[in-house]
Amino acid sequence: MHIDLSHYKEILIKGVWRENPVAYQVLGICSALAVTVKMSTALVMSIALTLVAAFSGLIISSLRHWIPSNIRIIVELTVIASLVIVTDQILKAFLYDISKQLSIFVGLIITNCIILGRAEAFAMANNPADSFVDGIANGLGYSMILVAVAFLRELLGSGQFFGFSVIPQFLYDMGFQDMGIMVLAPGAFFIIGLLVWLKNSLPGVSHEKK
Amino acid sequence: MGDLLSLFVNSVFIGNILLAYFLGICSFIAVSKTIETATGLGFAVIFVLTVTSPVNWLIYHGLLAPGALAWAGFPEMDLSFLKFITFIAVIAAIVQAVEMVIDRYSPLLYASLGVFLPLIAVNCAILGTSLFMVERNHTFIESVVFGAGSGTGWMLAIVSMAAIRKKVRYADVPAGLDGFGFIMIIAGLMAMTFMMFSGITL
């Protein structure tokens, strides 16, 4: 079987950059805002979401000829919810502390618009391998934004990177202070807004229509 | 009674489901273009939340919680890992029912809410409220109050956002910040305003 790699590359670039789910399609930002106080939670959440997106794409696409179209949402949700249960159990078993910090947001992967959106828009119309790659691409696109936001919030809000202090002490001695607002809810909104502005100002990005 | 009032005020203002916990942002952005549709969706969310939260409470404490199946002879059974899939199924079914009722009695509202009604099922605010309700060990009455309070808080946020967007429609925003980025900044300012409520106790 001939595998056309450039085709997969195309899907990847589309998901990660040109049609980035968070910044361009405005999907799945609920969790992008909530779990980005620290790098560690953001990273675990990114990995969990990417895996769920990839495997739900694979499974739903394999089943697409047998799913009756008027109950497809329920079927898609069932597949996604089962995958999320597996993810949640794995996190509880191996990363208990982080799973406590993520609290309900692992469960909310079910209602993350990226996963259902890709299942509806892509997996129902394409073959399993393409859908798997598309899930990974969109998961990576989401992870990129998540990690960027978490990096800025952790750095500006508590002067840390993965829990290690990175701002040198002499800066604090000179009067530098952590920006408390970054740890709180408004900081997340501001950072996402500014990141979208930055992204729209870069070349090669399709602008969203007003 | 005082506790319930305090819980209600807390879930509307201090722990606002949208501005403090970021739940339901997708529809918050998509449906806040006009005040009418925002109000319609707001009421739909209040209704769905007030119904789903106690229904999920009954299902969780009657069937899924550790030891809940003792009456059936399975005192060791712990089905709480099934809560995700059960809750989402209950929510999807109730949303379907609400959609049919609105379609029957208010075709105008149905036409303007359009594709967003099915999206209530995947609105994180609905599932999030049910999950919070389990995590915070609410009692049955508290789950009703918490559902109604979260819904009211969500509606308050989306209607205010629709009103603000109406005011800034002709504002001269820098190119690139136009649209989504600008809305996020407004939401950030709203979240800061809501933070003023923290520390209020009844």
Side-chain angles (χ1 to χ4, degrees):
Chain A
M1 196 176 100
H2 174 68
I3 298 171
D4 187 2
L5 279 177
S6 68
H7 172 59
Y8 291 125
K9 211 172 121 194
E10 173 73 11
I11 299 178
L12 267 175
I13 293 176
K14 217 172 170 181
V16 174
W17 186 248
R18 262 194 292 129
E19 294 185 4
N20 185 291
V22 182
Y24 176 72
Q25 303 176 54
V26 198
L27 296 176
I29 37 180
C30 314
S31 53
L33 292 162
V35 299
T36 49
V37 177
K38 284 194 298 190
M39 282 293 277
S40 51
T41 47
L43 203 63
V44 171
M45 185 70 183
S46 304
I47 297 169
L49 186 120
T50 308
L51 291 179
V52 172
F55 284 100
S56 69
L58 180 73
I59 295 171
I60 290 166
S61 167
S62 323
L63 295 172
R64 70 187 187 280
H65 297 303
W66 290 280
I67 301 178
S69 70
N70 43 1
I71 59 157
R72 66 181 190 284
I73 304 260
I74 288 277
V75 176
E76 287 161 11
L77 279 177
T78 314
V79 170
I80 296 167
S82 316
L83 286 166
V84 170
I85 291 177
V86 173
T87 315
D88 185 48
Q89 296 293 314
I90 292 176
L91 283 182
K92 273 193 185 135
F94 296 105
L95 290 168
Y96 188 74
D97 287 341
I98 289 185
S99 112
K100 269 279 161 247
Q101 286 168 21
L102 287 172
S103 79
I104 67 162
F105 289 97
V106 178
L108 288 176
I109 295 181
I110 301 174
T111 52
N112 190 311
C113 329
I114 296 176
I115 307 217
L116 196 72
R118 292 326 286 173
E120 272 282 279
F122 198 94
M124 289 301 282
N126 289 281
N127 70 43
D130 284 6
S131 308
F132 188 76
V133 176
D134 181 67
I136 291 189
N138 279 280
L140 286 179
Y142 168 87
S143 311
M144 195 175 74
I145 302 281
L146 215 63
V147 168
V149 174
F151 174 72
L152 289 171
R153 283 183 79 186
E154 192 175 2
L155 185 68
L156 297 175
S158 41
Q160 291 176 331
F161 179 68
F162 275 109
F164 299 106
S165 298
V166 286
I167 307 258
Q169 186 59 41
F170 71 85
L171 279 179
Y172 286 110
D173 295 340
M174 284 163 65
F176 177 82
Q177 283 193 342
D178 292 327
M179 295 163 72
I181 192 93
M182 285 298 155
V183 187
L184 300 166
F189 285 112
F190 291 142
I191 295 234
I192 295 244
L194 295 176
L195 276 182
V196 171
W197 188 7
L198 175 70
K199 181 180 164 296
N200 282 346
S201 314
L202 295 176
V205 183
S206 23
H207 280 258
E208 58 173 318
K209 287 179 283 296
K210 199 179 180 187
Chain B
M1 199 60 208
D3 288 352
L4 293 181
L5 190 65
S6 162
L7 177 68
F8 185 81
V9 171
N10 191 56
S11 52
V12 174
F13 294 107
I14 303 158
N16 188 293
I17 192 106
L18 206 157
L19 295 168
Y21 293 102
F22 312 108
L23 299 179
I25 302 250
C26 305
S27 31
F28 173 67
I29 288 166
V31 195
S32 61
K33 287 200 182 81
T34 67
I35 297 179
E36 289 76 29
T37 45
T39 316
L41 190 72
F43 278 120
V45 165
I46 293 183
F47 179 74
V48 171
L49 269 176
T50 317
V51 177
T52 53
S53 182
V55 169
N56 280 335
W57 189 92
L58 287 176
I59 291 179
Y60 184 78
H61 289 277
L63 296 173
L64 302 177
L69 283 175
W71 54 270
F74 302 106
E76 309 270 292
M77 196 80 100
D78 177 6
L79 293 177
S80 57
F81 69 93
L82 283 179
K83 65 176 186 277
F84 296 144
I85 202 162
T86 323
F87 287 180
I88 196 73
V90 168
I91 290 165
I94 290 176
V95 166
Q96 188 74 56
V98 171
E99 191 186 346
M100 289 189 310
V101 169
I102 294 185
D103 189 17
R104 170 73 182 76
Y105 292 103
S106 174
L108 199 66
L109 187 60
Y110 188 77
S112 61
L113 290 181
V115 293
F116 296 113
L117 258 183
L119 281 182
I120 290 188
V122 287
N123 186 330
C124 355
I126 315 280
L127 183 65
T129 303
S130 287
L131 293 175
F132 270 137
M133 176 263 298
V134 168
E135 200 174 89
R136 295 176 185 170
N137 288 321
H138 285 317
T139 63
F140 181 71
I141 303 292
E142 279 172 357
S143 78
V144 181
V145 174
F146 181 57
S150 296
T152 314
W154 197 86
M155 179 173 168
L156 187 69
I158 193 173
V159 173
S160 329
M161 178 53 117
I164 294 175
R165 281 180 76 173
K166 194 176 176 183
K167 282 285 176 196
V168 298
R169 190 165 295 157
Y170 298 109
D172 190 13
V173 182
L177 187 60
D178 231 13
F180 174 45
F182 191 44
I183 298 170
M184 292 314 281
I185 305 276
I186 298 177
L189 293 172
M190 282 174 69
M192 276 175 81
T193 321
F194 270 69
M195 272 169 55
M196 282 196 320
F197 293 113
S198 60
I200 295 177
T201 43
L202 286 179

